[in-house]
Amino acid sequence: MIMLINGQSKLNGHIEVSTSKNAVLPILAASLLSDEPKIINNIPLIDDVDIIVQLIRELGIKVSYHNKSLKLIGNAHKVDPPYELVRKIRASFLIMGPLLARHGIVRISFPGGCAIGNRPIDLHLKGLEVLGAQIKQTGGDIIAKGKLNGSHVYLDFPSVGATENLIMAASLAKGVTYIENAALEPEIVDLADFINSMGGKITGAGTNIIKIEGVEKLTGSTYTPIPDRIEAGTFMVAAAASRGEVTITNVIPEHLKAISAKLIESGAEVTEKADQINVRGPNKIKPVYIKTLPYPGFPTDMQAQFMAYLSCAEGSSIITESVFENRFMHVPELCRLGANIKIEGRTAIIKGVNKLDGAIVKATDLRAGAALCIAALMARGETTITESEHIDRGYERIVDKLNTLGVDIRQI
Ligand code: UD1
């Protein structure tokens, strides 16, 4: 698919943020922990959610969709999800913890997802081993089996996915588990809240030590996950980059502190209310220094979008990517639009230019695609983004939402 954007229109108006992709994916995986009915509300219609739903259906769960809610009923009667689905998204690996905890065995191929560096799963596997799983690798698959017992797991890095997999596995393990150096992301808190709504006993989510008391059985639940802080952040940056003014509703401003702080530093005006944020773009974009870090630091998922924005700053900005090894695939594409960016190891030096010019560019991954949309908004003339289906993996109705804000954008 291609996306066509005519640049230099100021974004103006109001949009509502959809539910968080990164909260919904683990919550859908956690629904495998119980066979009673679960209803998950405000499901975002994005490709990654579609894939995880297909995967869960493939395992034998009945999934129905009505009025933006998903209803999931039944027990998995398969523990070996098909490779063709698993390889499509990295989050498919999140079904490992619940399947193992529930059925004592799981067979899964190495996960796929965005090509943002080598993304190992050693921390997930080491943690599950500490809980008593025996893990074997054969022909590209991982087989984990065994009865799980509560234990102390120390993560070498606060990995979001490993923390989530271990919370889910430990929820049905025998005894108490402590995850130390756990990830602090709001999506972890949401997952714990969802499992607790099914009768789980998790405390400390959102801190770096999470305590999980294993229970024998989890029940059904009706749950509404949190709004998407990365979608909100992307629209905040888009508003500032276009020098427009946008009110973004259905947000939790607390989750957006790092993004708001950097936008304010760059000269934008950011005003917070209970569940909305207003952003007004600056006359001149000031250069800023950014280092991506685990939450509550600056999110790696916003790095590419900020780089697009800063490519038109008055002066040089520096962005250091400390979470992923190789997450600068958007740089050559931004340079095709006229940006001046040099990479030295994990650092990008962005020398602000006066103008960008529309061109044909390629979305190499989800957030890189979002960054190209932002650059296209600032560029003169038309930009064509090829492989724009990457963007649909994580942004619900992005073309409609940008249209509402006054952008001339089409996807074919
Ligand atoms: C999640 C998010 C992703 C976000 C990332 C970091 C979802 C579905 N995806 O991805 O959008 O960019 O958090 O905020 O929620 N690592 C290891 N070994 C492991 C696991 C991770 O070395 O076993 C490394 C990774 O290679 C990476 C870093 O740890 O360098 C962070 O990864 P992690 O926090 O696990 O990210 P994901 O859960 O994959």
Short mmCIF file of all heavy atoms in Angstrom, two decimals, residues 20-23 25-26 48 89-94 114 116-126 155 157-164 183 185 187 229-230 293-295 298-302 321-327 346 366-367 393, ligand 1:
data_model
loop_
_atom_site.label_atom_id
_atom_site.label_comp_id
_atom_site.label_asym_id
_atom_site.label_seq_id
_atom_site.Cartn_x
_atom_site.Cartn_y
_atom_site.Cartn_z
N SER A 20 -4.59 1.43 23.61
CA SER A 20 -3.17 1.11 23.45
C SER A 20 -2.94 -0.27 22.82
O SER A 20 -3.35 -1.29 23.39
CB SER A 20 -2.50 1.15 24.81
OG SER A 20 -1.26 0.50 24.77
N LYS A 21 -2.25 -0.27 21.70
CA LYS A 21 -1.86 -1.53 21.05
C LYS A 21 -1.04 -2.39 22.02
O LYS A 21 -1.30 -3.58 22.20
CB LYS A 21 -1.02 -1.23 19.80
CG LYS A 21 -0.21 -2.39 19.28
CD LYS A 21 0.53 -2.05 18.01
CE LYS A 21 1.99 -1.67 18.20
NZ LYS A 21 2.88 -2.75 18.65
N ASN A 22 -0.05 -1.75 22.66
CA ASN A 22 0.86 -2.52 23.51
C ASN A 22 0.24 -2.95 24.83
O ASN A 22 0.84 -3.74 25.56
CB ASN A 22 2.15 -1.73 23.74
CG ASN A 22 3.02 -1.68 22.49
OD1 ASN A 22 2.71 -2.35 21.50
ND2 ASN A 22 4.07 -0.90 22.52
N ALA A 23 -0.95 -2.42 25.14
CA ALA A 23 -1.68 -2.93 26.31
C ALA A 23 -2.61 -4.07 25.87
O ALA A 23 -2.70 -5.10 26.54
CB ALA A 23 -2.49 -1.82 26.97
N LEU A 25 -2.41 -6.17 23.30
CA LEU A 25 -1.78 -7.44 22.87
C LEU A 25 -1.50 -8.37 24.06
O LEU A 25 -1.94 -9.52 24.04
CB LEU A 25 -0.51 -7.16 22.05
CG LEU A 25 -0.74 -6.41 20.72
CD1 LEU A 25 0.58 -6.09 20.03
CD2 LEU A 25 -1.63 -7.22 19.77
N PRO A 26 -0.81 -7.90 25.12
CA PRO A 26 -0.62 -8.82 26.26
C PRO A 26 -1.92 -9.18 26.97
O PRO A 26 -2.06 -10.29 27.48
CB PRO A 26 0.33 -8.05 27.20
CG PRO A 26 0.36 -6.65 26.72
CD PRO A 26 -0.04 -6.66 25.28
N ASP A 48 -2.00 -5.50 14.05
CA ASP A 48 -1.37 -6.34 15.07
C ASP A 48 -2.42 -7.04 15.94
O ASP A 48 -2.24 -8.20 16.34
CB ASP A 48 -0.43 -5.52 15.96
CG ASP A 48 0.97 -5.41 15.34
OD1 ASP A 48 1.10 -5.69 14.13
OD2 ASP A 48 1.92 -5.06 16.06
N ILE A 89 4.17 -11.07 14.14
CA ILE A 89 4.37 -10.06 15.19
C ILE A 89 5.14 -10.64 16.37
O ILE A 89 4.91 -11.77 16.80
CB ILE A 89 3.07 -9.42 15.74
CG1 ILE A 89 2.04 -10.45 16.15
CG2 ILE A 89 2.49 -8.39 14.83
CD1 ILE A 89 0.93 -9.82 17.01
N ARG A 90 5.99 -9.80 16.91
CA ARG A 90 6.81 -10.23 18.03
C ARG A 90 5.95 -10.53 19.26
O ARG A 90 6.25 -11.43 20.03
CB ARG A 90 7.80 -9.11 18.35
CG ARG A 90 8.72 -9.44 19.49
CD ARG A 90 9.82 -8.45 19.63
NE ARG A 90 10.48 -8.58 20.90
CZ ARG A 90 11.46 -9.42 21.14
NH1 ARG A 90 11.92 -10.19 20.19
NH2 ARG A 90 12.01 -9.50 22.34
N ALA A 91 4.86 -9.79 19.41
CA ALA A 91 4.02 -9.97 20.60
C ALA A 91 3.39 -11.36 20.65
O ALA A 91 2.88 -11.77 21.69
CB ALA A 91 2.94 -8.90 20.65
N SER A 92 3.44 -12.12 19.53
CA SER A 92 2.86 -13.46 19.57
C SER A 92 3.59 -14.32 20.61
O SER A 92 3.04 -15.28 21.13
CB SER A 92 2.90 -14.11 18.20
OG SER A 92 4.19 -14.05 17.68
N PHE A 93 4.82 -13.93 20.92
CA PHE A 93 5.58 -14.70 21.90
C PHE A 93 4.96 -14.61 23.30
O PHE A 93 5.23 -15.43 24.17
CB PHE A 93 7.04 -14.20 21.94
CG PHE A 93 7.98 -15.25 22.41
CD1 PHE A 93 8.24 -16.35 21.62
CD2 PHE A 93 8.56 -15.18 23.66
CE1 PHE A 93 9.07 -17.35 22.08
CE2 PHE A 93 9.39 -16.17 24.12
CZ PHE A 93 9.65 -17.27 23.32
N LEU A 94 4.08 -13.61 23.48
CA LEU A 94 3.45 -13.42 24.79
C LEU A 94 2.46 -14.53 25.13
O LEU A 94 2.01 -14.62 26.26
CB LEU A 94 2.73 -12.06 24.83
CG LEU A 94 3.64 -10.85 24.77
CD1 LEU A 94 2.82 -9.58 24.65
CD2 LEU A 94 4.54 -10.79 26.01
N CYS A 114 8.64 -5.93 14.08
CA CYS A 114 9.41 -4.86 13.46
C CYS A 114 10.89 -5.21 13.41
O CYS A 114 11.44 -5.73 14.39
CB CYS A 114 9.26 -3.58 14.27
SG CYS A 114 7.81 -2.64 13.85
N ILE A 116 13.70 -4.02 14.13
CA ILE A 116 14.46 -2.95 14.78
C ILE A 116 15.58 -3.56 15.60
O ILE A 116 15.59 -3.52 16.82
CB ILE A 116 13.55 -2.01 15.63
CG1 ILE A 116 12.57 -2.80 16.49
CG2 ILE A 116 12.79 -1.06 14.74
CD1 ILE A 116 11.69 -1.92 17.38
N GLY A 117 16.52 -4.13 14.87
CA GLY A 117 17.68 -4.72 15.53
C GLY A 117 17.39 -6.16 15.92
O GLY A 117 16.28 -6.66 15.78
N ASN A 118 18.43 -6.79 16.42
CA ASN A 118 18.32 -8.15 16.88
C ASN A 118 17.49 -8.14 18.16
O ASN A 118 17.82 -7.46 19.11
CB ASN A 118 19.74 -8.66 17.14
CG ASN A 118 19.76 -10.07 17.64
OD1 ASN A 118 18.82 -10.82 17.37
ND2 ASN A 118 20.79 -10.43 18.37
N ARG A 119 16.36 -8.84 18.18
CA ARG A 119 15.51 -8.78 19.36
C ARG A 119 15.45 -10.14 20.03
O ARG A 119 14.53 -10.93 19.79
CB ARG A 119 14.11 -8.26 18.98
CG ARG A 119 14.16 -6.85 18.46
CD ARG A 119 12.83 -6.37 17.98
NE ARG A 119 11.92 -5.99 19.06
CZ ARG A 119 10.71 -5.47 18.84
NH1 ARG A 119 10.28 -5.29 17.63
NH2 ARG A 119 9.95 -5.14 19.85
N PRO A 120 16.42 -10.42 20.89
CA PRO A 120 16.45 -11.75 21.52
C PRO A 120 15.32 -11.96 22.52
O PRO A 120 14.63 -11.01 22.90
CB PRO A 120 17.81 -11.76 22.23
CG PRO A 120 18.21 -10.35 22.39
CD PRO A 120 17.50 -9.54 21.36
N ILE A 121 15.12 -13.22 22.91
CA ILE A 121 14.07 -13.54 23.87
C ILE A 121 14.66 -14.28 25.07
O ILE A 121 13.96 -14.96 25.81
CB ILE A 121 12.95 -14.38 23.22
CG1 ILE A 121 13.56 -15.49 22.37
CG2 ILE A 121 12.01 -13.52 22.40
CD1 ILE A 121 12.58 -16.50 21.92
N ASP A 122 16.00 -14.12 25.23
CA ASP A 122 16.70 -14.85 26.29
C ASP A 122 16.12 -14.55 27.68
O ASP A 122 16.04 -15.44 28.53
CB ASP A 122 18.20 -14.54 26.25
CG ASP A 122 18.48 -13.05 26.28
OD1 ASP A 122 17.78 -12.29 25.59
OD2 ASP A 122 19.40 -12.64 27.01
N LEU A 123 15.70 -13.30 27.91
CA LEU A 123 15.22 -12.95 29.26
C LEU A 123 13.89 -13.64 29.56
O LEU A 123 13.63 -14.05 30.70
CB LEU A 123 15.07 -11.43 29.40
CG LEU A 123 16.35 -10.62 29.17
CD1 LEU A 123 16.06 -9.13 29.19
CD2 LEU A 123 17.39 -10.97 30.24
N HIS A 124 13.05 -13.79 28.53
CA HIS A 124 11.77 -14.50 28.71
C HIS A 124 12.10 -15.96 29.12
O HIS A 124 11.54 -16.49 30.07
CB HIS A 124 10.97 -14.59 27.41
CG HIS A 124 10.61 -13.28 26.78
ND1 HIS A 124 9.31 -12.94 26.49
CD2 HIS A 124 11.36 -12.23 26.36
CE1 HIS A 124 9.28 -11.74 25.92
NE2 HIS A 124 10.51 -11.30 25.82
N LEU A 125 13.02 -16.56 28.35
CA LEU A 125 13.29 -17.99 28.55
C LEU A 125 13.98 -18.24 29.89
O LEU A 125 13.63 -19.17 30.63
CB LEU A 125 14.14 -18.53 27.39
CG LEU A 125 13.50 -18.38 26.00
CD1 LEU A 125 14.40 -18.96 24.91
CD2 LEU A 125 12.12 -19.04 25.94
N LYS A 126 14.95 -17.36 30.22
CA LYS A 126 15.67 -17.52 31.50
C LYS A 126 14.69 -17.43 32.67
O LYS A 126 14.74 -18.21 33.61
CB LYS A 126 16.72 -16.41 31.65
CG LYS A 126 18.14 -16.89 31.32
CD LYS A 126 19.10 -15.75 31.15
CE LYS A 126 19.48 -15.03 32.43
NZ LYS A 126 20.46 -13.94 32.16
N LEU A 155 15.60 -9.72 36.32
CA LEU A 155 15.81 -9.45 34.88
C LEU A 155 17.07 -8.61 34.69
O LEU A 155 17.23 -7.58 35.35
CB LEU A 155 14.60 -8.70 34.32
CG LEU A 155 13.27 -9.46 34.26
CD1 LEU A 155 12.14 -8.56 33.76
CD2 LEU A 155 13.39 -10.69 33.36
N PHE A 157 17.70 -6.79 32.27
CA PHE A 157 17.24 -5.52 31.68
C PHE A 157 15.72 -5.50 31.90
O PHE A 157 15.08 -6.54 31.80
CB PHE A 157 17.59 -5.50 30.17
CG PHE A 157 17.16 -4.25 29.47
CD1 PHE A 157 18.00 -3.14 29.43
CD2 PHE A 157 15.92 -4.16 28.85
CE1 PHE A 157 17.60 -1.96 28.80
CE2 PHE A 157 15.51 -2.99 28.22
CZ PHE A 157 16.37 -1.88 28.19
N PRO A 158 15.16 -4.32 32.19
CA PRO A 158 13.71 -4.30 32.42
C PRO A 158 12.91 -4.45 31.13
O PRO A 158 12.26 -3.52 30.65
CB PRO A 158 13.47 -2.93 33.08
CG PRO A 158 14.61 -2.09 32.64
CD PRO A 158 15.79 -3.00 32.41
N SER A 159 12.96 -5.63 30.55
CA SER A 159 12.27 -5.91 29.29
C SER A 159 10.76 -5.92 29.51
O SER A 159 10.25 -6.58 30.43
CB SER A 159 12.73 -7.27 28.75
OG SER A 159 11.72 -7.88 27.98
N VAL A 160 10.05 -5.21 28.64
CA VAL A 160 8.59 -5.13 28.73
C VAL A 160 7.99 -6.52 28.50
O VAL A 160 7.22 -7.03 29.30
CB VAL A 160 8.06 -4.11 27.69
CG1 VAL A 160 6.54 -4.10 27.67
CG2 VAL A 160 8.60 -2.72 27.98
N GLY A 161 8.38 -7.13 27.37
CA GLY A 161 7.80 -8.42 27.00
C GLY A 161 8.11 -9.50 28.03
O GLY A 161 7.24 -10.31 28.38
N ALA A 162 9.37 -9.53 28.52
CA ALA A 162 9.74 -10.58 29.49
C ALA A 162 8.95 -10.38 30.79
O ALA A 162 8.44 -11.34 31.38
CB ALA A 162 11.25 -10.55 29.75
N THR A 163 8.82 -9.13 31.23
CA THR A 163 8.05 -8.86 32.46
C THR A 163 6.61 -9.37 32.26
O THR A 163 6.05 -10.03 33.15
CB THR A 163 8.05 -7.34 32.78
OG1 THR A 163 9.40 -6.90 32.89
CG2 THR A 163 7.31 -7.04 34.08
N GLU A 164 6.03 -9.10 31.08
CA GLU A 164 4.64 -9.50 30.84
C GLU A 164 4.50 -11.03 30.79
O GLU A 164 3.60 -11.59 31.42
CB GLU A 164 4.15 -8.88 29.52
CG GLU A 164 4.01 -7.37 29.65
CD GLU A 164 3.80 -6.63 28.33
OE1 GLU A 164 4.09 -7.20 27.25
OE2 GLU A 164 3.38 -5.47 28.37
N ALA A 183 10.03 -4.21 34.27
CA ALA A 183 9.71 -3.00 33.50
C ALA A 183 8.59 -2.23 34.21
O ALA A 183 7.75 -2.83 34.88
CB ALA A 183 9.26 -3.40 32.09
N GLU A 185 6.56 0.13 32.61
CA GLU A 185 5.66 0.72 31.62
C GLU A 185 4.19 0.65 32.06
O GLU A 185 3.77 -0.33 32.69
CB GLU A 185 5.81 -0.03 30.28
CG GLU A 185 6.83 0.55 29.32
CD GLU A 185 8.29 0.38 29.77
OE1 GLU A 185 8.55 -0.20 30.83
OE2 GLU A 185 9.17 0.88 29.04
N GLU A 187 1.74 -0.17 30.43
CA GLU A 187 1.08 -1.36 29.86
C GLU A 187 1.26 -2.57 30.79
O GLU A 187 0.45 -3.50 30.77
CB GLU A 187 1.66 -1.67 28.46
CG GLU A 187 1.34 -0.61 27.40
CD GLU A 187 2.19 0.66 27.50
OE1 GLU A 187 3.25 0.62 28.18
OE2 GLU A 187 1.82 1.70 26.92
N ARG A 229 -0.50 5.68 24.48
CA ARG A 229 0.34 6.87 24.72
C ARG A 229 1.24 7.16 23.52
O ARG A 229 1.65 8.29 23.30
CB ARG A 229 1.15 6.71 26.03
CG ARG A 229 2.14 5.58 26.00
CD ARG A 229 2.69 5.25 27.39
NE ARG A 229 3.38 3.98 27.37
CZ ARG A 229 4.69 3.84 27.27
NH1 ARG A 229 5.46 4.90 27.23
NH2 ARG A 229 5.24 2.64 27.23
N ILE A 230 1.56 6.14 22.73
CA ILE A 230 2.43 6.38 21.57
C ILE A 230 1.63 7.01 20.43
O ILE A 230 2.12 7.90 19.74
CB ILE A 230 3.14 5.08 21.12
CG1 ILE A 230 3.91 4.44 22.30
CG2 ILE A 230 4.06 5.34 19.93
CD1 ILE A 230 4.98 5.33 22.92
N LEU A 293 15.01 5.64 26.79
CA LEU A 293 15.22 4.85 28.02
C LEU A 293 13.94 4.08 28.33
O LEU A 293 12.87 4.44 27.85
CB LEU A 293 15.49 5.80 29.20
CG LEU A 293 16.85 6.49 29.26
CD1 LEU A 293 16.83 7.60 30.30
CD2 LEU A 293 17.96 5.49 29.58
N PRO A 294 14.05 3.03 29.17
CA PRO A 294 12.80 2.40 29.62
C PRO A 294 11.95 3.43 30.38
O PRO A 294 12.47 4.43 30.89
CB PRO A 294 13.28 1.30 30.57
CG PRO A 294 14.71 1.04 30.17
CD PRO A 294 15.25 2.34 29.69
N TYR A 295 10.63 3.20 30.47
CA TYR A 295 9.71 4.09 31.17
C TYR A 295 10.17 4.30 32.61
O TYR A 295 10.63 3.34 33.22
CB TYR A 295 8.31 3.45 31.17
CG TYR A 295 7.21 4.36 31.64
CD1 TYR A 295 6.62 5.27 30.79
CD2 TYR A 295 6.77 4.31 32.97
CE1 TYR A 295 5.60 6.12 31.22
CE2 TYR A 295 5.76 5.16 33.40
CZ TYR A 295 5.19 6.05 32.52
OH TYR A 295 4.19 6.89 32.95
N PHE A 298 12.38 8.62 28.12
CA PHE A 298 11.80 8.93 26.80
C PHE A 298 11.61 7.64 25.99
O PHE A 298 12.55 6.85 25.82
CB PHE A 298 12.74 9.89 26.04
CG PHE A 298 12.15 10.36 24.75
CD1 PHE A 298 11.40 11.53 24.71
CD2 PHE A 298 12.29 9.62 23.59
CE1 PHE A 298 10.81 11.96 23.53
CE2 PHE A 298 11.71 10.03 22.40
CZ PHE A 298 10.96 11.20 22.38
N PRO A 299 10.40 7.38 25.48
CA PRO A 299 10.12 6.08 24.83
C PRO A 299 10.81 5.91 23.48
O PRO A 299 10.74 6.80 22.62
CB PRO A 299 8.60 6.07 24.65
CG PRO A 299 8.15 7.48 24.79
CD PRO A 299 9.20 8.24 25.56
N THR A 300 11.42 4.76 23.30
CA THR A 300 12.05 4.44 22.00
C THR A 300 11.01 4.48 20.88
O THR A 300 11.33 4.81 19.74
CB THR A 300 12.76 3.07 22.06
OG1 THR A 300 13.16 2.70 20.74
CG2 THR A 300 11.88 1.96 22.61
N ASP A 301 9.75 4.17 21.20
CA ASP A 301 8.69 4.17 20.18
C ASP A 301 8.34 5.58 19.70
O ASP A 301 7.51 5.72 18.79
CB ASP A 301 7.43 3.48 20.71
CG ASP A 301 7.58 1.96 20.74
OD1 ASP A 301 8.58 1.46 20.20
OD2 ASP A 301 6.70 1.29 21.32
N MET A 302 8.92 6.62 20.30
CA MET A 302 8.69 8.00 19.83
C MET A 302 9.95 8.60 19.22
O MET A 302 9.95 9.76 18.82
CB MET A 302 8.24 8.89 21.01
CG MET A 302 6.81 8.71 21.42
SD MET A 302 5.62 9.07 20.10
CE MET A 302 6.03 10.77 19.70
N GLU A 321 19.86 6.37 20.92
CA GLU A 321 18.92 5.24 21.07
C GLU A 321 19.58 4.21 21.98
O GLU A 321 20.52 3.54 21.58
CB GLU A 321 18.61 4.64 19.68
CG GLU A 321 17.79 3.37 19.69
CD GLU A 321 16.46 3.48 20.40
OE1 GLU A 321 15.62 4.28 19.99
OE2 GLU A 321 16.26 2.76 21.42
N SER A 322 19.09 4.09 23.21
CA SER A 322 19.77 3.17 24.13
C SER A 322 18.97 1.89 24.36
O SER A 322 19.46 0.97 25.00
CB SER A 322 20.06 3.87 25.46
OG SER A 322 18.94 3.81 26.30
N VAL A 323 17.75 1.79 23.83
CA VAL A 323 16.93 0.60 24.11
C VAL A 323 17.15 -0.48 23.03
O VAL A 323 17.38 -1.64 23.35
CB VAL A 323 15.43 0.96 24.23
CG1 VAL A 323 14.58 -0.28 24.44
CG2 VAL A 323 15.22 1.94 25.37
N PHE A 324 17.10 -0.07 21.75
CA PHE A 324 17.31 -1.03 20.66
C PHE A 324 18.62 -0.74 19.96
O PHE A 324 19.04 0.41 19.85
CB PHE A 324 16.14 -1.00 19.67
CG PHE A 324 14.90 -1.64 20.20
CD1 PHE A 324 13.83 -0.88 20.62
CD2 PHE A 324 14.81 -3.02 20.33
CE1 PHE A 324 12.68 -1.48 21.14
CE2 PHE A 324 13.67 -3.63 20.84
CZ PHE A 324 12.60 -2.85 21.25
N GLU A 325 19.22 -1.81 19.44
CA GLU A 325 20.54 -1.71 18.79
C GLU A 325 20.51 -0.98 17.46
O GLU A 325 21.43 -0.29 17.10
CB GLU A 325 21.00 -3.13 18.45
CG GLU A 325 21.97 -3.72 19.38
CD GLU A 325 22.06 -5.21 19.10
OE1 GLU A 325 22.06 -5.60 17.90
OE2 GLU A 325 22.13 -5.96 20.07
N ASN A 326 19.47 -1.25 16.68
CA ASN A 326 19.50 -0.80 15.30
C ASN A 326 18.15 -0.19 14.94
O ASN A 326 17.36 -0.80 14.24
CB ASN A 326 19.83 -2.01 14.41
CG ASN A 326 19.86 -1.65 12.95
OD1 ASN A 326 19.96 -0.49 12.60
ND2 ASN A 326 19.72 -2.65 12.10
N ARG A 327 17.90 1.00 15.48
CA ARG A 327 16.57 1.58 15.24
C ARG A 327 16.69 2.93 14.54
O ARG A 327 16.04 3.89 14.92
CB ARG A 327 15.82 1.72 16.56
CG ARG A 327 14.34 1.83 16.32
CD ARG A 327 13.47 1.78 17.53
NE ARG A 327 12.10 1.59 17.10
CZ ARG A 327 11.07 1.49 17.92
NH1 ARG A 327 11.24 1.55 19.20
NH2 ARG A 327 9.86 1.31 17.44
N ARG A 346 25.18 4.56 18.20
CA ARG A 346 23.78 4.60 18.63
C ARG A 346 23.25 6.03 18.73
O ARG A 346 22.21 6.28 19.32
CB ARG A 346 23.64 3.94 19.98
CG ARG A 346 23.71 2.42 19.89
CD ARG A 346 23.42 1.84 21.24
NE ARG A 346 23.12 0.43 21.13
CZ ARG A 346 22.31 -0.20 21.95
NH1 ARG A 346 21.69 0.44 22.90
NH2 ARG A 346 22.10 -1.49 21.81
N LEU A 366 6.88 0.21 11.73
CA LEU A 366 5.71 0.97 12.19
C LEU A 366 6.02 2.43 12.56
O LEU A 366 5.44 3.37 12.02
CB LEU A 366 5.11 0.21 13.40
CG LEU A 366 4.09 0.90 14.29
CD1 LEU A 366 2.88 1.33 13.51
CD2 LEU A 366 3.68 -0.07 15.41
N ARG A 367 6.95 2.61 13.50
CA ARG A 367 7.22 3.99 13.97
C ARG A 367 8.01 4.79 12.93
O ARG A 367 7.88 6.02 12.86
CB ARG A 367 7.92 4.00 15.32
CG ARG A 367 7.22 3.19 16.41
CD ARG A 367 5.78 3.58 16.67
NE ARG A 367 5.11 2.62 17.56
CZ ARG A 367 3.83 2.63 17.86
NH1 ARG A 367 3.03 3.55 17.34
NH2 ARG A 367 3.31 1.73 18.66
N ARG A 393 -0.32 -1.26 11.20
CA ARG A 393 -0.13 -2.24 12.28
C ARG A 393 -0.43 -1.63 13.64
O ARG A 393 -0.83 -2.33 14.57
CB ARG A 393 1.32 -2.75 12.29
CG ARG A 393 1.64 -3.73 11.20
CD ARG A 393 2.99 -4.39 11.45
NE ARG A 393 3.20 -4.51 12.89
CZ ARG A 393 4.37 -4.39 13.49
NH1 ARG A 393 5.44 -4.15 12.80
NH2 ARG A 393 4.48 -4.52 14.80
C1 UD1 B 1 7.86 -3.61 23.78
C2 UD1 B 1 6.91 -2.89 22.86
C3 UD1 B 1 7.70 -2.07 21.83
C4 UD1 B 1 8.68 -1.14 22.54
C5 UD1 B 1 9.54 -1.91 23.53
C6 UD1 B 1 10.42 -1.02 24.39
C7 UD1 B 1 4.99 -4.36 22.77
C8 UD1 B 1 4.16 -5.28 21.97
N1 UD1 B 1 6.09 -3.87 22.17
O1 UD1 B 1 8.63 -4.50 22.96
O2 UD1 B 1 6.76 -1.31 21.08
O3 UD1 B 1 9.54 -0.55 21.58
O4 UD1 B 1 8.70 -2.66 24.43
O5 UD1 B 1 9.67 -0.06 25.05
O6 UD1 B 1 4.67 -4.04 23.90
N2 UD1 B 1 15.80 -7.84 25.14
C9 UD1 B 1 16.74 -8.82 25.29
N3 UD1 B 1 16.30 -10.06 25.64
C10 UD1 B 1 14.99 -10.35 25.85
C11 UD1 B 1 14.04 -9.33 25.69
C12 UD1 B 1 14.48 -8.07 25.31
O7 UD1 B 1 17.94 -8.61 25.13
O8 UD1 B 1 14.65 -11.50 26.19
C13 UD1 B 1 16.25 -6.50 24.70
C14 UD1 B 1 15.69 -6.12 23.33
O9 UD1 B 1 16.47 -6.65 22.30
C15 UD1 B 1 15.73 -4.62 23.39
C16 UD1 B 1 15.40 -4.33 24.85
O10 UD1 B 1 15.69 -5.52 25.57
O11 UD1 B 1 17.00 -4.15 23.07
C17 UD1 B 1 13.98 -3.91 25.09
O12 UD1 B 1 13.10 -4.93 24.68
P1 UD1 B 1 11.69 -5.19 25.37
O13 UD1 B 1 11.49 -4.22 26.49
O14 UD1 B 1 11.58 -6.63 25.67
O15 UD1 B 1 10.70 -4.82 24.18
P2 UD1 B 1 9.48 -5.67 23.64
O16 UD1 B 1 8.72 -6.25 24.77
O17 UD1 B 1 9.93 -6.54 22.53
#
